[in-house]
Amino acid sequence: MLNPIFEFFEVVAEELCTDPSRVITPNDFEIHDDFSPLLEDLKVTTHAKSTADAVQAAVKLLESHFKGKGSALPFIYDPYTALFQATNLPYLEFIKQMKSIRSIGKRSREFEVEVMNKLSSRVTGSLHRVGHPRDTKHSKSEFNAYLKVLGFERSVLLGADKDGGLDILWVLPLGTVPHQPIVSVQCKNGNFDLAEGDKSIGAGSRSLACHGRLQNTVHVPCVLFNDYLYPEILTTKPMNFVPLGLTDLSPLEVLTSTTAI
């Protein structure tokens, strides 16, 4: 179940994919049977007295959320005219697509591929989609040989392993093989679930331990959900993986920032 703020975000994204510049008034939301319950939830979540106030508050919260991700909300909103205008249509189309495949098991590979594509515009270094089924390296021996190019010393696939619990590997552009830091990104085509995240990194962590030349602290396990992550949804306890969501794939406004203190 999505937070009403992000459910509202997905509704707007879908509308703007149909018409990138359009007026969506509170009445437009209220007369649509699917949107009426959402607006009530939105008013509760934003502590707003009216639908118009709830929409404006939701947009402000979304702007703050995207800013915290180093990016910008992919649309602008004028509360006086109720005009929504897309500013990043490709990202809105991505959101629409992710909503349409969420929690559909047969679409997990599609989710993984799209995550890879969006990551490629946000990071530097090299990305490797190694999850099963693979496009070219079909056998265990081909897979193991490929990972050895990235610095793995021992064979990862053993016995009934299909991909060793690995989906996407991001090799940072630092150091020299086999001493380059590696980020492992597990893709979960569903809503955020802490237990699922914990379970999903078990096999991957064992596979990363086969690298041999890097200590565990240089392996960064991440789990990316088809969802939106914010402080209230996460535990305050330490976690053994970095939780990521769809807005972590939004385009960075500045690729690298520097701070001197």
Side-chain angles (χ1 to χ4, degrees):
M1 187 77 177
L2 287 183
N3 179 299
I5 299 292
F6 294 103
E7 190 176 352
F8 164 78
F9 171 66
E10 290 192 338
V11 167
V12 173
E14 285 190 300
E15 294 296 314
L16 292 178
C17 285
T18 302
D19 183 353
S21 180
R22 61 175 302 178
V23 172
I24 311 175
T25 67
N27 287 337
D28 292 328
F29 285 105
E30 289 170 345
I31 62 176
H32 198 299
D33 291 339
D34 293 338
F35 297 163
S36 294
L38 168 59
L39 289 175
E40 289 305 313
D41 291 340
L42 204 61
K43 283 194 282 187
V44 172
T45 302
T46 60
H47 308 289
K49 293 182 179 180
S50 69
T51 299
D53 288 344
V55 169
Q56 187 171 356
V59 171
K60 287 183 178 180
L61 288 169
L62 287 168
E63 287 174 341
S64 177
H65 174 83
F66 273 84
K67 183 177 181 181
K69 299 293 184 179
S71 57
L73 185 64
F75 61 80
I76 55 176
Y77 170 67
D78 184 343
Y80 299 103
T81 62
L83 178 66
F84 287 83
Q85 290 181 288
T87 54
N88 190 331
L89 192 56
Y91 183 74
L92 292 172
E93 290 172 340
F94 165 74
I95 292 297
K96 179 181 178 181
Q97 181 184 3
M98 295 305 96
K99 178 185 177 183
S100 71
I101 68 173
R102 180 176 292 127
S103 299
I104 300 176
K106 292 181 179 180
R107 308 292 289 275
S108 294
R109 184 177 185 276
E110 180 181 348
F111 178 64
E112 188 177 304
V113 170
E114 291 304 320
V115 166
M116 172 93 156
N117 290 338
K118 287 300 177 197
L119 272 176
S120 67
S121 65
R122 188 175 173 103
V123 304
T124 57
S126 62
L127 289 168
H128 308 262
R129 187 173 63 80
V130 298
H132 181 83
R134 288 175 288 280
D135 295 327
T136 59
K137 312 297 182 185
H138 303 296
S139 69
K140 287 186 175 67
S141 60
E142 288 176 316
F143 178 86
N144 289 327
Y146 183 79
L147 290 189
K148 286 181 180 179
V149 174
L150 304 183
F152 284 75
E153 289 186 320
R154 300 189 298 279
S155 294
V156 171
L157 293 194
L158 301 171
D161 286 342
K162 289 185 177 181
D163 54 21
L166 301 174
D167 287 345
I168 296 172
L169 294 178
W170 168 25
V171 182
L172 276 64
L174 298 169
T176 304
V177 173
H179 300 285
Q180 284 184 280
I182 296 176
V183 176
S184 172
V185 181
Q186 289 292 111
C187 300
K188 304 297 290 185
N189 184 30
N191 296 111
F192 173 72
D193 186 314
L194 183 58
E196 279 296 310
D198 286 335
K199 185 168 63 175
S200 71
I201 67 164
S205 295
R206 289 191 292 274
S207 293
L208 288 170
C210 294
H211 191 285
R213 297 290 184 89
L214 295 176
Q215 298 297 318
N216 289 336
T217 52
V218 193
H219 297 140
V220 183
C222 301
V223 182
L224 196 148
F225 296 87
N226 192 343
D227 201 346
Y228 306 88
L229 301 190
Y230 46 94
E232 293 78 10
I233 201 174
L234 300 174
T235 178
T236 56
K237 295 181 180 179
M239 298 178 65
N240 57 356
F241 66 90
V242 178
L244 302 173
L246 297 179
T247 49
D248 289 294
L249 301 174
S250 56
L252 286 170
E253 289 199 293
V254 178
L255 189 57
T256 303
S257 62
T258 59
T259 302
I261 58 172

